[in-house]
């Protein structure tokens, strides 16, 4: 029984060490749940960073998963950051990790939410993804 408990604890510790560092950060600019009729935010992604789902049907907050692979942007870095915000000035750190990985948001992702993949050592932008859907006000 003791061997099994030690094995379980060791496994949990090993898994915890493999986790990507992430935080649950709301978007930099608060958005309401109202939509503007007829206006659509276009989903944007590139091979280095994607969001799933990439398009939302309404402005209610949703959980999304951000996937990144810096090697697809031509980077050999082993340290990346994911920022949330429409510009560098208002962006907040969402997650940090290795060359590739994924992180889930809480239910604050809305159409128009921007995710920016950066090389941590020099801050160079490697790609952006924007969630599509109705424009939220």
């Amino acid at each position: 029984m003791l061997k099994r408990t030690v094995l379980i604890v060791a496994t949990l510790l090993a898994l915890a060490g493999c986790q990507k560092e992430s935080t649950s950060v709301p978007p930099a600019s608060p958005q309401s749940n109202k939509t503007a009729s007829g206006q659509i935010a276009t989903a944007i992604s590139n091979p280095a960073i994607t969001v799933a789902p990439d398009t939302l049907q309404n402005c209610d907050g949703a959980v999304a998963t951000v996937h990144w692979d810096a090697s697809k942007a031509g980077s050999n870095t082993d340290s990346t950051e994911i920022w949330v915000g429409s510009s560098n000035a208002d962006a907040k750190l969402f997650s940090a990790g290795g060359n590739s990985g994924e992180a889930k948001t809480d239910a604050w992702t809305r159409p128009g939410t921007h995710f920016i993949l950066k090389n941590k050592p020099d801050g160079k932008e490697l790609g952006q993804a924007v969630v599509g859907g109705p424009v939220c006000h």
Side-chain angles (χ1 to χ4, degrees):
M1 179 69 171
L2 181 60
K3 267 187 175 178
R4 191 167 122 193
T5 302
V6 170
L7 179 61
I8 291 171
V9 170
T11 302
L12 291 173
L13 288 173
L15 288 173
C18 293
Q19 295 297 315
K20 305 289 186 261
E21 175 187 331
S22 69
T23 57
S24 182
V25 177
S29 303
Q31 299 168 328
S32 74
N33 291 342
K34 296 180 183 176
T35 62
S37 60
Q39 294 182 327
I40 301 293
T42 303
I44 299 171
S45 65
N46 65 53
I49 182 170
T50 60
V51 181
D54 66 348
T55 302
L56 299 172
Q57 300 304 311
N58 58 53
C59 292
D60 296 338
V63 173
T65 304
V66 181
H67 302 269
W68 68 92
D69 185 346
S71 67
K72 292 182 178 178
S75 177
N76 292 331
T77 187
D78 60 357
S79 185
T80 57
E81 294 177 333
I82 307 297
W83 292 78
V84 178
S86 57
S87 70
N88 285 328
D90 73 351
K92 294 182 180 183
L93 182 63
F94 164 64
S95 184
N99 187 277
S100 64
E102 69 178 40
K104 284 191 183 230
T105 71
D106 283 334
W108 48 257
T109 305
R110 292 179 175 76
T113 302
H114 291 244
F115 294 91
I116 305 163
L117 173 64
K118 292 185 178 185
N119 180 20
K120 186 175 181 177
D122 64 10
K124 178 182 175 190
E125 184 177 308
L126 303 175
Q128 285 193 30
V130 179
V131 178
V135 173
C136 302
H137 294 285

